[in-house]
Amino acid sequence: MAFAEDFAAALAQRGIQMDANDVPAPDVIGGALDNINGFMSDMDVAVREGFDESSLEFAVCSVLADPSVSIAPEISSILAAYDRTPNMRLTEMLQATSETLDQVRGVV
Protein backbone atom coordinates (compact mmCIF):
# COMPACT_ATOMS: atom_id res chain seq x y z
CA MET A 1 0.00 0.00 0.00
CA ALA A 2 3.07 2.26 -0.06
CA PHE A 3 2.25 3.52 -3.56
CA ALA A 4 -1.34 4.36 -2.62
CA GLU A 5 -0.32 6.25 0.49
CA ASP A 6 2.44 8.14 -1.31
CA PHE A 7 0.17 8.94 -4.25
CA ALA A 8 -2.68 10.20 -2.04
CA ALA A 9 -0.27 12.33 0.01
CA ALA A 10 1.40 13.82 -3.08
CA LEU A 11 -1.97 14.50 -4.71
CA ALA A 12 -3.15 16.21 -1.51
CA GLN A 13 -0.16 18.54 -1.74
CA ARG A 14 -1.57 19.60 -5.12
CA GLY A 15 -4.99 20.27 -3.59
CA ILE A 16 -6.78 17.03 -4.53
CA GLN A 17 -7.85 15.08 -1.44
CA MET A 18 -8.53 11.36 -1.56
CA ASP A 19 -8.22 8.37 0.72
CA ALA A 20 -5.25 6.09 0.06
CA ASN A 21 -7.61 3.10 0.20
CA ASP A 22 -9.32 4.44 -2.93
CA VAL A 23 -6.16 4.77 -5.04
CA PRO A 24 -6.07 2.38 -8.02
CA ALA A 25 -2.89 0.67 -9.21
CA PRO A 26 -0.37 2.88 -11.04
CA ASP A 27 -0.90 1.22 -14.43
CA VAL A 28 -4.67 1.59 -14.07
CA ILE A 29 -4.29 5.30 -13.35
CA GLY A 30 -1.93 5.81 -16.28
CA GLY A 31 -4.21 4.00 -18.73
CA ALA A 32 -7.28 5.89 -17.56
CA LEU A 33 -5.49 9.24 -17.87
CA ASP A 34 -4.56 8.30 -21.43
CA ASN A 35 -8.21 7.45 -22.14
CA ILE A 36 -9.43 10.77 -20.75
CA ASN A 37 -6.81 12.78 -22.59
CA GLY A 38 -7.68 11.00 -25.84
CA PHE A 39 -11.37 11.63 -25.31
CA MET A 40 -10.77 15.29 -24.51
CA SER A 41 -8.51 15.81 -27.53
CA ASP A 42 -11.21 14.37 -29.81
CA MET A 43 -13.78 16.88 -28.53
CA ASP A 44 -14.67 20.02 -30.42
CA VAL A 45 -12.59 22.87 -28.96
CA ALA A 46 -15.62 24.81 -27.69
CA VAL A 47 -17.11 21.70 -26.06
CA ARG A 48 -13.78 20.81 -24.42
CA GLU A 49 -13.35 24.33 -23.08
CA GLY A 50 -16.93 24.39 -21.83
CA PHE A 51 -16.54 21.05 -20.06
CA ASP A 52 -13.25 22.19 -18.55
CA GLU A 53 -14.71 25.51 -17.40
CA SER A 54 -17.80 23.83 -15.92
CA SER A 55 -15.56 21.58 -13.82
CA LEU A 56 -14.64 24.66 -11.77
CA GLU A 57 -18.16 24.95 -10.37
CA PHE A 58 -20.00 21.70 -11.00
CA ALA A 59 -19.42 18.02 -10.27
CA VAL A 60 -18.97 16.98 -13.90
CA CYS A 61 -15.75 14.95 -13.74
CA SER A 62 -17.43 11.78 -12.45
CA VAL A 63 -19.40 11.53 -15.68
CA LEU A 64 -16.20 10.20 -17.25
CA ALA A 65 -16.52 7.13 -14.99
CA ASP A 66 -20.22 6.60 -15.65
CA PRO A 67 -20.84 3.13 -17.13
CA SER A 68 -22.89 4.61 -19.97
CA VAL A 69 -19.92 6.79 -20.99
CA SER A 70 -17.19 4.36 -19.84
CA ILE A 71 -14.16 6.52 -20.54
CA ALA A 72 -12.40 5.93 -17.22
CA PRO A 73 -14.57 3.87 -14.87
CA GLU A 74 -11.48 2.33 -13.28
CA ILE A 75 -10.54 5.64 -11.66
CA SER A 76 -13.99 6.63 -10.43
CA SER A 77 -12.50 7.37 -7.00
CA ILE A 78 -10.04 9.89 -8.47
CA LEU A 79 -12.75 11.50 -10.59
CA ALA A 80 -14.96 11.78 -7.50
CA ALA A 81 -12.05 13.49 -5.72
CA TYR A 82 -11.83 15.92 -8.64
CA ASP A 83 -15.50 16.77 -8.16
CA ARG A 84 -14.83 17.57 -4.50
CA THR A 85 -11.86 19.82 -5.36
CA PRO A 86 -12.69 23.53 -5.47
CA ASN A 87 -11.18 26.07 -7.83
CA MET A 88 -9.46 23.66 -10.21
CA ARG A 89 -10.32 22.80 -13.80
CA LEU A 90 -10.39 19.22 -15.02
CA THR A 91 -7.34 19.84 -17.20
CA GLU A 92 -5.40 21.17 -14.19
CA MET A 93 -6.35 18.13 -12.11
CA LEU A 94 -5.43 15.73 -14.92
CA GLN A 95 -2.03 17.40 -15.23
CA ALA A 96 -1.52 17.31 -11.46
CA THR A 97 -2.47 13.63 -11.36
CA SER A 98 -0.14 12.75 -14.23
CA GLU A 99 2.75 14.61 -12.62
CA THR A 100 1.99 13.01 -9.26
CA LEU A 101 1.92 9.56 -10.84
CA ASP A 102 5.33 10.17 -12.46
CA GLN A 103 6.72 11.57 -9.21
CA VAL A 104 5.54 8.68 -7.06
CA ARG A 105 6.65 6.08 -9.60
CA GLY A 106 10.05 7.74 -9.56
CA VAL A 107 9.99 8.78 -13.22
CA VAL A 108 10.68 12.45 -12.52
Side-chain angles (χ1 to χ4, degrees), residues 54-85:
S54 68
S55 65
L56 275 170
E57 296 182 45
F58 304 103
V60 298
C61 299
S62 291
V63 75
L64 298 170
D66 187 280
S68 65
V69 177
S70 196
I71 301 206
E74 59 276 7
I75 63 164
S76 61
S77 58
I78 295 174
L79 295 169
Y82 288 0
D83 283 338
R84 294 188 303 269
T85 303

Side-chain angles (χ1 to χ4, degrees), residues 6-27:
D6 292 347
F7 182 83
L11 207 56
Q13 290 177 349
R14 294 173 177 264
I16 303 167
Q17 302 290 328
M18 70 178 298
D19 190 300
N21 292 323
D22 295 332
V23 173
D27 293 341

Side-chain angles (χ1 to χ4, degrees), residues 2-4 6-7 10 14 26-27 97-108:
F3 168 80
D6 292 347
F7 182 83
R14 294 173 177 264
D27 293 341
T97 304
S98 180
E99 290 170 358
T100 299
L101 181 61
D102 288 347
Q103 172 192 346
V104 175
R105 279 180 158 174
V107 174
V108 173

Side-chain angles (χ1 to χ4, degrees), residues 25-53:
D27 293 341
V28 170
I29 297 169
L33 292 176
D34 289 344
N35 290 346
I36 293 171
N37 288 323
F39 173 75
M40 299 275 295
S41 68
D42 288 343
M43 284 181 167
D44 177 77
V45 173
V47 173
R48 180 175 53 245
E49 289 174 357
F51 189 79
D52 197 39
E53 191 66 27

